[in-house]
């Protein structure tokens, strides 16, 4: 409650690694200051996944250990929370976006419950396509040309999901 103040802030300000800003496609023709995105079907889903992949790369470049992710584009732009969340889940599952010092990137999905559920389910399905996390990491290394994470030497996905 705001009457009690914010005890977690009594320890002092929280230092942010930075802000990663992304733009989701607009599916709402009633939004007058932004054109409707023409992508549909697979192209639309790929656009969502590519957008989240860019955000994860930005978080990695900032050295973030926690990423707070809203259900971007699911309000006035009219994107479905399930589609947007699933795209984030797939991007997380195939990403090796670590936090600093090799710590896992904790992703806190906030907003619509359907968004957070879709993130978690898509991660589980994407990782489940491979027999093990090691096989999944090997697949990612082959796709990315065998590049290791330069900070920690890790070669596999180390993202975890937290809910808010």
């Amino acid at each position: 409650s705001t009457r009690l103040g914010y005890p977690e802030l009594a320890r002092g300000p929280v230092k942010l690694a930075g802000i990663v800003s992304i733009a989701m496609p607009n599916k709402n023709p009633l939004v007058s200051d932004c054109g409707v995105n023409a992508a549909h079907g697979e192209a639309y889903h790929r656009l969502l996944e590519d957008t989240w992949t860019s955000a994860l790369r930005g978080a990695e470049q900032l050295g973030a250990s926690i990423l707070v992710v809203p259900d971007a584009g699911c309000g006035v732009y009219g994107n479905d929370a399930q589609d947007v969340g699933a795209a984030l889940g797939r991007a997380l599952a195939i990403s090796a976006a670590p936090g600093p010092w090799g710590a896992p990137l904790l992703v806190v999905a906030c907003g619509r419950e359907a968004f957070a559920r879709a993130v978690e389910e898509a991660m589980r399905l994407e990782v489940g396509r491979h027999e093990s996390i090691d096989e999944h990491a090997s697949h990612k290394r082959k796709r990315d040309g065998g590049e290791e994470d330069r900070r920690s030497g890790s070669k596999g996905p180390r993202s975890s999901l937290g809910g808010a």
Side-chain angles (χ1 to χ4, degrees), residues 2-91:
T2 55
R3 286 180 288 156
L4 300 175
Y6 299 94
E8 58 278 347
L9 296 180
R11 296 179 295 222
V14 175
K15 182 180 178 192
L16 297 178
I19 296 173
V20 177
S21 180
I22 58 171
M24 287 298 185
N26 177 27
K27 293 183 77 176
N28 183 353
L30 299 176
V31 175
S32 61
D33 64 346
C34 179
V36 173
N37 185 283
H40 297 285
E42 183 59 35
Y44 169 72
H45 293 284
R46 187 73 201 160
L47 175 61
L48 293 176
E49 190 175 320
D50 288 348
T51 301
W52 285 125
T53 298
S54 294
L56 293 172
R57 287 183 181 150
E60 180 179 12
Q61 289 175 354
L62 290 168
S65 57
I66 299 172
L67 185 62
V68 179
V69 184
D71 52 356
C74 297
V76 70
Y77 278 8
N79 292 284
D80 181 81
Q82 179 77 27
D83 292 339
V84 175
L88 174 57
R90 287 188 303 274

